[in-house]
Amino acid sequence: MKRIYLDHIAGTPLHPDVVDAMLPYLKEKFGNPQSLHSIGQEALEAIEESRDKVARLINAESADILFVSSGSEANNFALKGLAFAHQSRGKHIILSSIEHQSILHSAKYLEKFGFRFSHIPVDEFGLVDPEDMRKAITDETILVSILLANGEVGTIEPIGEIANVCRDKDILFHTDAVDAVGNISVDVRALGVDALSLAGNQFYGPKGSAALYVKKGRRILPFIDGGIQESGRRAGTEDVPAIVGLGKAAEIALQEMESRMERMKTLRNKLMKQLPQAVEHVFLTGHPERRLPHHASFCVEYVEGEAMLLNLDLKGISASSGSACTSRALKASHVLLAMGIDHALAQGSLVFGLIDRTNSEDIDYLLEVFPPIIERLRKMSPLYTQYLEEKEK
Amino acid sequence: MIYTEKVMEHFQNPRNVGTMKDADGVGQVGNPVCGDMMTFYIKVKDNRIDDVKFQTFGCGAAIAVSSMVSEMAIGKTIEEALKITNRSVAEELGGLPKNKMHCSNLGADALHKAIENYQERQKAKQDPPKKSEDKESCYCPYCDGPIKGIENYCQSCKVEFEDCPECKKPVNKQADKCPHCGATKVRV
């Protein structure tokens, strides 16, 4: 059966060149970068080269890039490391209400140490209003962390404006850019952020490859104590193949960004426009324009997400959902609820993320198999029956 | 695949889907907030369940469970059908993932509710009609344990509950928002 992978949010496949770049470091170039001998030094050179490539992708200084093992680690590192390093100035931190769990749960952890959090709301498109953020600032505020783009609804936040407010007030600003970096142009200098999280598995790099950017001069507490790796801020023997893979993915992303974006936008726009036309009561979630170029997300009324995903999978299509049943915790997506979408509609959440190899036929195939799936599920749905009965009245 | 072959088979080809205009008993459980909602319709002939129809809004497990319950109930006497338990449904399906066990509760509950409804209607034919008390029961969304309004604790998964100040339904004490009515809890 044809397999069509539209689950970019869960991770991208590896670019073939990334695999080729990594392979020697899984084989003959196995050295520990901290070793003095030439096999070790060869590995050290490779990770420093990767650092340069990742830095170039986001227009940063190489020395400001710290390699970590996942986007979640980068977020934990940023929030906890900055909070603890600057707590003498205050213990108040501002977040948006649609942050990733790795930010929200890090906040819960910090609450145990006396930190206080304000969660600023988003509008129906998932957009943060910088004015709301400004109002939430107190004399005690030391840090603001707001994501650059949300993986579930695709909305791109006004990060530059938010960073400006923070700079004026001398408050540190971190952005979780895991879903954005490598997919859209991100420039840490132009944005004016103090720290930024990114992950390779969102742009055709390997899983377990990620980085935290921390601007020079910003104090941050080490995340793993131990040796001198990552300038003593993140100890532990480096995952050289992953770091090399991340570097290669960053290099390719920088070269291919424009053409990838254009191609995906065309296909994505087709999906965004035609899916709600193919089936009634399908609503776009997130912002119609200010969104990631590969991202199309919807809520399908009267049906539940997991049932849709299983049916799509049986047709060879991989997608994801923010419905309660699809989450391990059996909770509806906090992102959709924060956007004011009610529980019943949030259950019908469906997220598509195109990848570089997605083509027009794939989208046509999805548009072809989708309506009968929904029709079948709605025939089973008591909520749809209720709707039809009320319509008749 | 997260489900057994049997679950997937019922999910793809659910038996007895639909509504029934002249049902002898109707039972509805769940709500979209919990994730699943089921409506069961039964037709009873000579104390035996002659036909079952159901509709389900929910995940793969919820749909498969409904289908299985409907199949198990047809042909059984009322007494036998009341003995269909959550466990027996899950067993017939070759097992369910742990976090989906509450779906099997809903299936058996919806059937039992339809039977209760049938029995009440029968009784009403003999006795003058009395306002029946609606038994509101909800299952813990984190495990398969039942939560009753008067209790404030799920014995099965050790989650503490409190009544939502707005809609009075049980809510996880740690939750910021009531999952039933959406009311935000004010923390002091």
Side-chain angles (χ1 to χ4, degrees):
Chain A
M1 185 175 45
K2 195 157 110 174
R3 283 257 150 222
I4 298 172
Y5 187 84
L6 296 173
D7 197 8
H8 189 128
I9 179 178
T12 48
L14 273 76
H15 192 288
D17 293 351
V18 169
V19 179
D20 290 343
M22 288 170 73
L23 280 176
Y25 295 91
L26 289 161
K27 292 178 176 172
E28 64 276 9
K29 300 185 178 183
F30 59 85
N32 184 328
Q34 302 307 325
S35 300
L36 280 175
H37 48 64
S38 48
I39 292 188
Q41 289 306 297
E42 172 179 75
L44 182 65
E45 269 167 41
I47 66 171
E48 291 316 316
E49 216 175 280
S50 279
R51 208 183 300 280
D52 293 342
K53 287 173 182 169
V54 173
R56 269 200 292 279
L57 178 62
I58 58 169
N59 194 25
E61 292 292 331
S62 295
D64 297 349
I65 302 293
L66 302 171
F67 290 120
V68 295
S69 70
S70 64
S72 288
E73 186 189 328
N75 283 339
N76 271 261
F77 192 170
L79 211 65
K80 295 174 186 174
L82 291 170
F84 283 126
H86 298 268
Q87 59 179 326
S88 59
R89 292 175 55 203
K91 287 191 134 185
H92 180 243
I93 297 170
I94 298 171
L95 309 175
S96 84
S97 45
I98 59 166
E99 294 300 314
H100 188 258
Q101 301 291 9
S102 54
I103 290 288
L104 295 175
H105 289 176
S106 292
K108 288 224 153 129
Y109 171 86
L110 286 167
E111 276 176 356
K112 293 175 187 150
F113 294 89
F115 288 92
R116 291 175 311 281
F117 287 85
S118 297
H119 297 80
I120 53 171
V122 293
D123 66 8
E124 71 263 40
F125 302 115
L127 271 178
V128 168
D129 183 347
E131 202 39 47
D132 287 337
M133 200 270 301
R134 191 198 298 270
K135 282 183 206 150
I137 293 173
T138 70
D139 293 344
E140 289 270 292
T141 309
I142 51 166
L143 173 63
V144 174
S145 178
I146 291 175
L147 42 61
L148 203 155
N150 182 285
E152 212 175 308
V153 296
T155 303
I156 299 171
E157 302 295 342
I159 290 305
E161 281 178 64
I162 294 167
N164 279 343
V165 175
C166 292
R167 209 170 30 246
D168 288 348
K169 305 256 181 188
D170 200 20
I171 294 166
L172 291 166
F173 179 57
H174 164 256
T175 184
D176 167 6
V178 166
D179 287 295
V181 169
N183 294 296
I184 57 171
S185 165
V186 175
D187 180 331
V188 290
R189 273 180 249 222
L191 289 173
V193 301
D194 297 297
L196 172 147
S197 306
L198 65 92
N201 58 340
Q202 283 300 320
F203 56 98
Y204 315 98
K207 292 167 193 65
S209 76
L212 177 66
Y213 158 80
V214 185
K215 193 175 176 181
K216 192 181 174 195
R218 303 296 182 266
R219 277 180 300 117
I220 187 161
L221 220 63
F223 196 59
I224 297 179
D225 296 307
I228 57 150
Q229 294 92 350
E230 300 305 298
S231 46
R233 288 184 283 189
R234 202 275 190 183
T237 302
E238 298 89 340
D239 185 347
V240 181
I243 291 170
V244 169
L246 177 61
K248 190 70 195 176
E251 187 186 357
I252 298 167
L254 197 56
Q255 287 162 0
E256 297 186 356
M257 180 95 60
E258 290 298 319
S259 60
R260 259 187 206 164
M261 275 171 65
E262 274 315 301
R263 228 178 57 79
M264 281 205 208
K265 229 182 195 169
T266 310
L267 290 174
R268 191 277 315 270
N269 287 350
K270 174 175 167 170
L271 177 59
M272 223 163 76
K273 190 168 158 236
Q274 293 188 12
L275 198 79
Q277 287 172 352
V279 178
E280 50 171 17
H281 301 284
V282 172
F283 309 99
L284 183 79
T285 58
H287 201 279
E289 284 116 34
R290 282 189 67 106
R291 64 186 300 137
L292 295 168
H294 57 271
H295 198 286
S297 54
F298 306 91
C299 275
V300 183
E301 215 172 356
Y302 313 119
V303 292
E304 190 280 324
E306 192 207 85
M308 282 191 279
L309 292 189
L310 288 171
N311 274 305
L312 284 170
D313 191 45
L314 289 165
K315 293 282 179 196
I317 298 169
S318 315
S320 61
S321 166
S323 90
C325 296
T326 53
S327 79
R328 293 276 152 106
L330 300 177
K331 275 187 192 165
S333 148
H334 67 283
V335 176
L336 298 177
L337 298 184
M339 286 161 57
I341 292 170
D342 73 39
H343 276 85
L345 190 54
Q347 289 288 54
S349 146
L350 201 53
V351 185
F352 296 106
L354 280 55
I355 55 170
D356 55 358
R357 66 186 70 158
T358 309
N359 59 37
S360 194
E361 288 79 56
D362 296 341
I363 304 298
D364 288 337
Y365 177 71
L366 168 62
L367 290 166
E368 180 194 318
V369 301
F370 189 68
I373 289 174
I374 301 309
E375 196 188 335
R376 215 170 65 86
L377 288 173
R378 282 186 177 160
K379 267 190 189 152
M380 257 185 252
S381 165
L383 293 175
Y384 192 61
T385 305
Q386 264 173 30
Y387 158 75
L388 289 178
E389 281 169 6
E390 270 160 35
K391 207 171 104 179
E392 265 177 36
K393 274 178 200 167
Chain B
M1 196 49 84
I2 59 167
Y3 294 125
T4 64
E5 258 178 55
K6 192 100 180 251
V7 172
M8 284 308 287
E9 203 274 311
H10 273 269
F11 168 68
Q12 290 178 73
N13 310 294
R15 285 61 149 170
N16 309 307
V17 172
T19 59
M20 214 186 264
K21 285 242 151 60
D22 54 346
D24 295 321
V26 182
Q28 191 170 67
V29 293
N31 61 60
V33 176
C34 290
D36 306 295
M37 190 174 149
M38 294 176 191
T39 314
F40 267 71
Y41 304 83
I42 56 167
K43 193 96 194 127
V44 183
K45 216 183 247 171
D46 305 328
N47 198 43
R48 243 174 228 286
I49 296 185
D50 191 49
D51 197 12
V52 179
K53 286 271 180 273
F54 79 85
Q55 282 203 312
T56 293
F57 168 89
C59 62
I63 290 169
V65 160
S66 318
S67 166
M68 181 51 91
V69 168
S70 74
E71 213 174 42
M72 286 165 80
I74 292 175
K76 284 203 166 65
T77 65
I78 292 293
E79 293 71 31
E80 286 165 350
L82 281 170
K83 282 183 194 149
I84 295 175
T85 63
N86 317 323
R87 191 173 291 184
S88 62
V89 177
E91 265 168 25
E92 279 292 320
L93 284 167
L96 284 171
K98 204 173 167 228
N99 68 343
K100 297 283 183 181
M101 284 302 285
H102 71 283
C103 298
S104 63
N105 291 356
L106 284 179
D109 273 8
L111 174 71
H112 295 169
K113 258 199 166 170
I115 294 173
E116 275 168 36
N117 179 249
Y118 160 73
Q119 289 171 329
E120 275 164 26
R121 288 190 198 183
Q122 293 297 106
K123 228 178 155 194
K125 277 183 196 165
Q126 296 157 10
D127 306 330
K130 230 178 10 184
K131 207 185 158 213
S132 67
E133 255 178 61
D134 192 27
K135 240 195 334 185
E136 187 81 50
S137 76
C138 195
Y139 283 96
C140 173
Y142 305 103
C143 69
D144 59 343
I147 298 152
K148 288 166 195 129
I150 41 161
E151 290 169 19
N152 62 352
Y153 186 64
C154 169
Q155 277 88 350
S156 321
C157 71
K158 322 272 186 245
V159 170
E160 240 188 295
F161 289 88
E162 60 189 7
D163 285 346
C164 167
E166 291 295 321
C167 71
K168 311 291 178 209
K169 284 186 182 166
V171 181
N172 185 340
K173 244 186 170 172
Q174 302 297 318
D176 298 320
K177 254 186 179 181
C178 169
H180 309 288
C181 69
T184 315
K185 287 195 286 178
V186 185
R187 304 228 154 259
V188 249

